[in-house]
Amino acid sequence: MSEESGIRLQKALAQAGVASRRNAELLIEQGRVEVDGAVVTEFGTRVDPAVSVIRVDGERIPPTTAHAYLVLNKPRGVVTTMSDPQGRPCIADYVQDRDERLFHIGRLDTDTEGLLLLTNHGEFAHRLAHPSYEVSKTYVAEVEGNVKPGVLRQLLAGVELDDGSAQADTVKVISTIKGRTLIQLSLHEGRNRIVRRMFDAVGHPVKRLTRTAIGPVRRGNLHTGELRELNPKELGQLLDLVDL
């Protein structure tokens, strides 16, 4: 980048909402800002926010962009499509007031509720859905029966399905009551109905399933049917996860 190209680093930080220009200068002076892996302490440094990887205290600062990055807490019974010829409730019903042409990243079964990401950034969506980037997804499953420790070990070791082995990254029992067990499970793949099929394989069919996290994105206080934009910290972490 030539000396006159790009914008001053403190302006880029201010545009990203990190701090005022004056406070951004203090961050730079204190050695808390990195650009493309190198600590920057000079106020005159110029960057291209669209391509430069900027971090403050180690956290990625995503650039201001025309792209949309949203998370929906999908209700049970909603079809993960942007239109449905049968007239069933679908994702489009929740984004009809948005101007962007959005599409969902991956999918959730109609009977599964929880987090679903939507965007208009094609490469981001492609990478986030690709198994090679191993973005973890966390679910809470209510399953039939009392799940014993041996079943948890089996899920962690891997269970054989008709399209190959599948294993959980983490799994723990949350509670057991009246012949049902509530289990939290995380894994980094997204084959069709993978969680339900894993529990079927170990003899504990799923009665209710909710996705509670995608990588750093947590459900938190997002109510069923609500939509929100990813916050800068979440987006920065996801961009790092998929090398963008």
Side-chain angles (χ1 to χ4, degrees):
M1 182 181 296
S2 69
E3 184 178 351
E4 296 304 320
S5 63
I7 63 174
R8 290 182 182 273
L9 178 56
Q10 54 265 48
K11 181 178 180 180
L13 291 172
Q15 287 180 344
V18 174
S20 66
R21 288 202 196 186
R22 175 55 188 151
N23 286 335
E25 289 177 353
L26 291 175
L27 293 173
I28 295 169
E29 187 177 33
Q30 293 165 0
R32 296 166 61 186
V33 182
E34 296 178 22
V35 177
D36 295 329
V39 174
V40 174
T41 56
E42 297 180 1
F43 296 152
T45 300
R46 291 180 176 272
V47 298
D48 180 349
V51 297
S52 299
V53 176
I54 302 172
R55 300 181 189 276
V56 175
D57 295 334
E59 288 192 3
R60 176 79 173 269
I61 307 301
T64 54
T65 175
H67 290 129
Y69 304 92
L70 307 170
V71 58
L72 170 69
N73 190 358
K74 184 188 89 68
R76 192 179 188 184
V78 172
V79 184
T80 307
T81 60
M82 298 309 290
S83 64
D84 183 68
Q86 300 178 41
R88 295 172 296 180
C90 66
I91 301 303
D93 298 334
Y94 296 88
V95 295
Q96 56 189 350
D97 294 333
R98 303 282 306 193
D99 294 331
E100 309 93 345
R101 185 177 180 274
L102 297 165
F103 46 90
H104 51 85
I105 303 174
R107 59 189 305 110
L108 286 175
D109 303 329
T110 303
D111 289 338
T112 300
E113 58 193 301
L115 298 190
L116 189 68
L117 297 180
L118 300 102
T119 188
N120 58 355
H121 186 174
E123 183 61 21
F124 174 78
H126 170 72
R127 295 193 185 198
L128 196 59
H130 200 281
S132 65
Y133 290 98
E134 298 190 344
V135 177
S136 180
K137 302 172 183 67
T138 303
Y139 298 81
V140 171
E142 179 187 327
V143 305
E144 291 184 3
N146 296 331
V147 177
K148 304 299 184 183
V151 172
L152 303 184
R153 291 192 292 269
Q154 188 178 356
L155 291 167
L156 289 169
V159 295
E160 288 299 324
L161 306 177
D162 56 7
D163 54 355
S165 179
Q167 66 184 105
D169 298 326
T170 65
V171 60
K172 67 177 182 179
V173 171
I174 299 173
S175 63
T176 300
I177 186 170
K178 295 182 179 179
R180 300 281 178 92
T181 304
L182 202 62
I183 292 183
Q184 179 178 287
L185 175 145
S186 65
L187 70 170
H188 59 263
E189 63 168 288
R191 277 182 278 168
N192 187 40
R193 299 177 65 85
I194 187 70
V195 174
R196 293 179 184 275
R197 291 193 290 139
M198 288 174 69
F199 279 109
D200 282 343
V202 296
H204 293 278
V206 171
K207 304 304 294 181
R208 193 177 186 99
L209 185 62
T210 303
R211 184 155 70 191
T212 58
I214 302 172
V217 183
R218 301 288 186 266
R219 181 174 55 177
N221 295 324
L222 189 66
H223 297 298
T224 302
E226 283 189 340
L227 182 77
R228 68 168 175 84
E229 295 186 2
L230 294 184
N231 65 48
K233 182 175 182 177
E234 291 169 333
L235 178 56
Q237 290 174 330
L238 285 174
L239 290 172
D240 275 348
L241 284 172
V242 299
D243 295 333
L244 280 176

